[in-house]
Amino acid sequence: MPVSRSQPAPGESHPRAGRLLPGLATAAMALAAAFLVHWLVPVLPAMTLAVVLGVLAANLPGAGAWTAGRARPGLDFAGKHLMRGGIVLLGLKVSIMDVLGLGWLALVLITAVVVAGFGGTYLIARLFRLSPVTSLLVATGFSICGASAIGAVAAVRRIRHIDTVLPVALVTLCGTLAIGVLPLLVHPLQLTAPVFGAWTGASVHDVGQVVATAQTAGTAALGIAVVVKLTRVLLLAPVAALAGTHHRFSARPGNGTGTDGAKLPPVVPLFVLGFVAMVGLRSTGWLAEDWLEAGAMLQDVLLGAALFGLGSAVRIRTLLLTGGRALLAALASWLLIAVLGLAAALLIAG
């Protein structure tokens, strides 16, 4: 009896799994190295290291051929699908009670920073003649929660995986820059620990980068930094919903399809609903600390593998040739959000 084309022959692994395995194994080894370096040097966030290792793997002789060849399908899978799993579990870090504990004024100010940061960053990117897609992703990543937000909006808008590479590289670069620069400004600006923490939470992009930056000023700064940052993370769900709604209207759908005949994505994808569900679950207080720690660890694994996959698509030579304007736009946007965040922090904790 002939073997169906849709099924692997007896004793053979599924062809899709076989194509994904080299890339997923590469991501797993790189992630282990990132966690090891983070353990040895805690100031370096594991997620940032994952992106850096991905970029190195893409540009070193031999490794570059591997990441562009046999490992590419698995790395692309990680960058897209594991990212979504990481976004879902990110919700376990957000408690509504902690957010409400900041008070209404703080919530209004943080929301204002996100809105102004998003709009300002988008305008800056367009002034530097970046494409609308790149401008949207850069604005999303800088104003909300880095690579996670970029992945969420890219999925909602059906943006190609390759188009997320440059925004992720830029948000990682500027977030890493904040780790070194912001602590140096504490004494010149005469910031108290709570104000510095609120500033970090309101302006630094990724959660791990916020922790690495705020902990330099002690536990008082770290505590408020994490809550302020997670309040920004909570805004990921409405921003993704708005992006999805805008996409459906701009595509002029007919019978659930866009102008090109492709089926439109849902306004709110399942993984964003999963994120909201995890926020709700965390807020109930039902989960024991052990479960929350396990969820945080799995989230780091999924997101770290996704970031390595995205980093492994960055070719430095191409980036230098095409990303000069993008880098200047990113630095200008980083400065804008830092100023907005500082103004909000002085009002929140000053």
Side-chain angles (χ1 to χ4, degrees):
M1 179 181 295
V3 178
S4 170
R5 291 184 180 181
S6 61
Q7 298 291 332
E12 293 182 2
S13 60
H14 196 286
R16 177 172 171 79
R19 290 177 63 246
L20 298 180
L21 186 58
L24 293 177
T26 302
M29 290 186 290
L31 190 57
F35 281 125
L36 176 60
V37 174
H38 172 65
W39 180 69
L40 294 172
V41 189
V43 73
L44 298 177
M47 300 301 101
T48 300
L49 290 168
V51 178
V52 171
L53 289 175
V55 174
L56 289 175
N59 293 276
L60 291 176
W66 171 256
T67 58
R70 286 195 63 193
R72 194 71 252 155
L75 294 174
D76 286 342
F77 178 89
K80 180 178 180 180
H81 297 286
L82 298 189
M83 172 70 79
R84 297 180 184 184
I87 292 170
V88 171
L89 293 176
L90 182 61
L92 288 177
K93 294 183 176 180
V94 185
S95 169
I96 297 296
M97 298 301 104
D98 290 341
V99 170
L100 294 178
L102 290 173
W104 69 268
L105 177 60
L107 297 180
V108 170
L109 289 171
I110 293 167
T111 303
V113 168
V114 170
V115 172
F118 182 95
T121 298
Y122 185 85
L123 289 176
I124 288 171
R126 295 298 287 143
L127 286 174
F128 278 88
R129 295 178 309 195
L130 302 187
S131 70
V133 165
T134 300
S135 299
L136 172 65
L137 295 182
V138 169
T140 302
F142 274 60
S143 62
I144 303 177
C145 55
S148 301
I150 291 172
V153 171
V156 169
R157 297 296 300 257
R158 289 279 172 89
I159 294 171
R160 296 182 307 164
H161 173 71
I162 191 63
D163 292 330
T164 67
V165 171
L166 178 60
V168 167
L170 294 173
V171 79
T172 302
L173 173 64
C174 290
T176 305
L177 184 64
I179 297 173
V181 172
L182 264 59
L184 298 178
L185 299 177
V186 172
H187 293 299
L189 296 177
Q190 298 182 342
L191 302 178
T192 63
V195 170
F196 178 70
W199 183 27
T200 301
S203 56
V204 180
H205 314 314
D206 179 75
V207 176
Q209 293 164 346
V210 167
V211 172
T213 306
Q215 68 185 3
T216 61
T219 55
L222 181 59
I224 190 170
V226 171
V227 177
V228 171
K229 174 59 191 175
L230 293 179
T231 303
R232 290 169 62 198
V233 172
L234 189 60
L235 295 173
L236 174 61
V239 168
L242 287 173
T245 302
H246 178 267
H247 181 53
R248 295 182 75 87
F249 278 107
S250 61
R252 297 178 182 176
N255 299 322
T257 61
T259 55
D260 59 356
K263 185 178 180 181
L264 289 170
V267 173
V268 183
L270 285 177
F271 72 91
V272 175
L273 294 177
F275 167 82
V276 174
M278 292 299 103
V279 171
L281 183 59
R282 167 65 187 266
S283 301
T284 63
W286 294 342
L287 292 179
E289 192 64 30
D290 289 345
W291 284 102
L292 293 177
E293 291 179 0
M297 183 178 299
L298 180 57
Q299 188 255 335
D300 284 345
V301 169
L302 294 176
L303 190 56
L307 291 175
F308 176 81
L310 291 172
S312 68
V314 176
R315 297 296 183 270
I316 296 296
R317 183 178 301 175
T318 303
L319 187 62
L320 291 175
L321 291 174
T322 63
R325 293 194 312 275
L327 179 59
L328 291 175
L331 292 174
S333 300
W334 177 72
L335 180 60
L336 170 67
I337 292 176
V339 171
L340 292 172
L342 179 58
L346 290 170
L347 293 171
I348 293 171

